[in-house]
Amino acid sequence: MGSKNKLKRFRENETFSNVIQPTRKEVIDGFSVKGNWHTIFNNNNPIVLELGCGKGEYTIALARKNPNINYIGVDIKGARFWRGAKIALEENLSNVAFLRSQIELIDLLFNEKEVAEIWITFPDPQIKYTRTKHRLTNGAFLKKYHHILKPEGIVHLKTDSEFMHGYTLGLLHGEGQEIIYAHHDIYKNYHAPEEVTSTQTFYESQYLEKSKPITYIKFRLRY
């Protein structure tokens, strides 16, 4: 994407009513929307996050199917989720918002027990050992998710990375977390959850065309 295109999208994001872009300082000093997300949606419906939402394809697809649930796509790259934000406005999806921020600040963006579910879709697996702290399912991130999730809150991980799948499963087993469902090739499993197989991102469909397995884990955190 050219720099002119990016700048255009950044400018458009600033005009979108469904895009929230706090500065890092605003988040650290005390984010005013934290604990008050119901005021963004004007209701008290459950909140579901998509972390590293990219173009917001999953956020949009889930919001279309579940009008009584509020969906928030979180990503630091605003030029990417611009498309999702634009589609949501065009379709009058009032249960969609996009938040531009670092995921490492997630516990400063949402209150304790404010979130019902978290989707992590096709994150960068950060395979090098030196990048462990950046993996979205490392121990530190899991504790942050536990903090913002309701007591029975669910985390979904969908990835094409066998490494990320194996790493996360091993970590969850080692910590004694509750693994509700796990499969190393979700589209070849007859009993796969419909919410997992009915929505595909652009890149996911490309992986499937090349017969690349898509893995999935559904889990609940207990500390």
Side-chain angles (χ1 to χ4, degrees), residues 124-138 141 163-164 167:
D124 185 333
Q126 307 285 359
I127 291 175
K128 289 184 180 177
Y129 177 75
T130 54
R131 302 289 295 172
T132 303
K133 67 177 183 180
H134 298 288
R135 284 179 209 146
L136 290 187
T137 56
N138 71 28
F141 274 116
F163 168 82
M164 187 72 166
Y167 166 81

Side-chain angles (χ1 to χ4, degrees), residues 51-172:
L51 303 183
C53 67
K55 295 178 183 178
E57 293 155 295
Y58 239 87
T59 298
I60 294 293
L62 292 171
R64 285 175 182 144
K65 292 176 187 173
N66 306 295
N68 295 319
I69 297 176
N70 297 322
Y71 291 90
I72 304 171
V74 185
D75 206 303
I76 193 59
K77 297 189 176 177
R80 282 190 188 168
F81 68 59
W82 164 86
R83 185 173 302 283
K86 194 174 179 70
I87 290 170
L89 290 173
E90 288 170 350
E91 295 186 13
N92 293 314
L93 293 172
S94 57
N95 61 330
V96 173
F98 287 91
L99 173 61
R100 183 171 183 260
S101 189
Q102 292 98 341
I103 294 168
E104 71 212 45
L105 302 176
I106 201 73
D107 53 334
L108 301 178
L109 294 160
F110 295 89
N111 229 2
E112 186 177 2
K113 300 179 175 65
E114 194 173 12
V115 173
E117 288 188 23
I118 292 173
W119 282 83
I120 306 170
T121 51
F122 301 93
D124 185 333
Q126 307 285 359
I127 291 175
K128 289 184 180 177
Y129 177 75
T130 54
R131 302 289 295 172
T132 303
K133 67 177 183 180
H134 298 288
R135 284 179 209 146
L136 290 187
T137 56
N138 71 28
F141 274 116
L142 293 182
K143 283 177 181 169
K144 289 175 188 278
Y145 305 155
H146 176 259
H147 177 77
I148 64 173
L149 279 166
K150 293 182 180 299
E152 295 303 308
I154 298 291
V155 183
H156 307 262
L157 171 67
K158 194 176 182 185
T159 174
D160 62 304
S161 167
E162 291 178 15
F163 168 82
M164 187 72 166
H165 181 76
Y167 166 81
T168 305
L169 267 183
L171 189 63
L172 294 172

Side-chain angles (χ1 to χ4, degrees), residues 167-186:
Y167 166 81
T168 305
L169 267 183
L171 189 63
L172 294 172
H173 277 301
E175 291 189 351
Q177 305 294 358
E178 182 184 352
I179 299 168
I180 301 166
Y181 184 99
H183 202 275
H184 66 281
D185 195 348
I186 195 70

